[in-house]
Amino acid sequence: VKRWVIREDEIITAYIILYFQKEGENKHVTEGDIFVLPELRRKGIGTFLLKKMYEEATKENCTMIDFSEFSTCSSGSEFLKEIGAKLGCTEHINQLKIADIDMKLMDEWIAKANERAEDYELEFWQNEIPEERMDSFLKLYNDFWNSVPLDDLEYEYEELSAERMRNGIKATVKK
């Protein structure tokens, strides 16, 4: 992960972040984000930061930068379109207020599930995947992610290894 910021006096007005993959089939792709204060957009700051992203991505042998955008922030999609980025696939974020969960309905569903799937068990893991479950978990994980349509994205489906999964978990737990 690499970050750069633009400051005016002590105020950070814009920053970029790049996430580089060091393992796997898609090391040619880096994920990046550009953030510019709303009042400073359309003044060349994003383009200036994009040039820095280009330089760093090239140093890391990346040929592609993936950007995320919020549908509620049209300036992001306009900027990406203007620089020639193409929409690959979309992701939606859904929210559910915990207070709105119908617990009576949940209890009914759980009771029915116990009748239909009595051989299933729920296990709790914290900060690690038990070694005896790693192969089975990786099969589920890889099968799921490799079934997601890529549309026109230039990715290769890949199999995540146990070592890479452990390293990702360690990095997340440190945060």
Side-chain angles (χ1 to χ4, degrees):
V1 177
K2 294 183 178 183
R3 291 180 179 87
W4 294 264
V5 300
I6 292 182
R7 295 187 292 115
E8 184 176 328
D9 297 320
E10 292 304 311
I11 307 295
I12 295 174
T13 58
Y15 83 93
I16 55 173
I17 186 166
L18 286 171
Y19 304 89
F20 294 100
Q21 294 190 50
K22 299 297 182 186
E23 304 174 75
E25 301 299 318
N26 295 299
K27 292 182 279 194
H28 69 289
V29 180
T30 181
E31 292 180 40
D33 290 305
I34 300 175
F35 300 88
V36 179
L37 287 176
E39 63 271 19
L40 297 176
R41 293 178 186 152
R42 305 220 40 92
K43 296 182 186 239
I45 296 170
T47 305
F48 173 79
L49 291 170
L50 179 64
K51 184 172 191 265
K52 184 64 178 167
M53 294 174 102
Y54 167 84
E55 292 167 357
E56 290 301 315
T58 302
K59 284 183 200 174
E60 297 286 337
N61 298 314
C62 292
T63 59
M64 188 82 56
I65 302 173
D66 279 358
F67 292 94
S68 298
E69 64 176 274
F70 292 98
S71 61
T72 54
C73 182
S74 62
S75 60
S77 58
E78 290 168 10
F79 175 75
L80 292 171
K81 186 176 180 180
E82 193 172 299
I83 65 172
K86 64 179 181 173
L87 183 62
C89 66
T90 57
E91 175 183 17
H92 300 274
I93 298 173
N94 299 280
Q95 291 186 325
L96 172 64
K97 290 184 179 179
I98 293 173
D100 292 344
I101 297 173
D102 183 341
M103 290 310 296
K104 184 178 178 193
L105 181 61
M106 292 296 110
D107 290 340
E108 290 173 20
W109 286 352
I110 290 169
K112 287 178 184 175
N114 287 334
E115 294 167 12
R116 292 189 306 239
E118 58 190 44
D119 294 336
Y120 288 88
E121 291 180 43
L122 176 65
E123 294 182 15
F124 173 73
W125 308 333
Q126 185 170 339
N127 300 335
E128 66 181 349
I129 297 170
E131 206 52 47
E132 67 273 12
R133 299 282 190 252
M134 184 62 79
D135 289 342
S136 179
F137 180 80
L138 285 172
K139 177 166 180 12
L140 167 70
Y141 185 91
N142 288 321
D143 287 354
F144 173 81
W145 284 110
N146 287 329
S147 72
V148 173
L150 295 177
D151 295 334
D152 292 331
L153 293 176
E154 295 182 26
Y155 281 122
E156 296 294 324
Y157 288 114
E158 61 184 351
E159 296 293 313
L160 193 67
S161 68
E163 178 183 5
R164 196 162 156 209
M165 178 62 75
R166 285 187 207 98
N167 290 342
I169 291 169
K170 283 179 191 173
T172 302
V173 169
K174 283 183 182 179
K175 291 180 184 178

